[in-house]
Amino acid sequence: MPFEIVRNDIVNMQVDAVVNTANPNPVIGSGVDSGIHKKAGYELLVARQKIGCIDFGDAVITPGFNLDAKYVIHTVGPIWEDGDHREEQILSSCYRKSLAVAKEYECESIAFPLITTGNYGFPKPLALQFIDRTRKKDSEIYKKANVDRKLFSKIRNNMDYKPSKTTALAFAFALELDVDETKDFIGRAGFALSHSSKFDVIVKYFLVNRSYNVFELNEVLFAFDQPLIGA
């Protein structure tokens, strides 16, 4: 299915399934959880109570009831502590297991919120964590990513800045992440690599072959009339 970023209240999305950032206990939490339950109606809480507790990183499914969506996939994201308590692995599991459940129920469209970036406090600027771990100079990263210094500075200084998919991929290439690492990296910003997108297929080809030269990638993308990554 094609990937698209939509600025909309998730409870109004007309898709096969919406993903709910659920409380691990069968109660109604705040934020997305509260909004989904409010529109779906009391039957959703009853269905959720029948399931019981959900482990962190796991995902379960219920009918959507009064929502426009046919199903609700409930997943429990990590509570952010300091990044050293498996938060990244748990969040990655939320996305993987939600997609697996959607596939099992033959969903052709699914809407994700930014899982666990609200009350659970998972940092939004995912790129910075990876960049800091490399212990490379900022200039090395943004030059290799073909990202403008001013844009990089904006990302550094604005904790609420949301990078585009092409910017996130540019950093993935600069950090020389493999395919799975890249999927996890951009996934935590709400992006994915699709088999049905020519752009994504080209990007994945370069990742599989560990060819991390952004300028060579952009030459191929340009030849196929696709968006370029970086700036």
Side-chain angles (χ1 to χ4, degrees), residues 19 24 27 36 66 70 114 116 229:
V19 176
V27 297
I36 286 178
N66 293 330
K70 187 176 181 180
L114 278 176
T116 208
I229 73 170

Side-chain angles (χ1 to χ4, degrees), residues 180-200:
D180 290 335
E181 289 171 332
T182 298
K183 288 179 178 179
D184 175 60
F185 183 72
I186 68 174
R188 284 179 286 128
F191 303 112
L193 292 177
S194 168
H195 296 297
S196 60
S197 164
K198 185 182 294 184
F199 172 87
D200 289 350

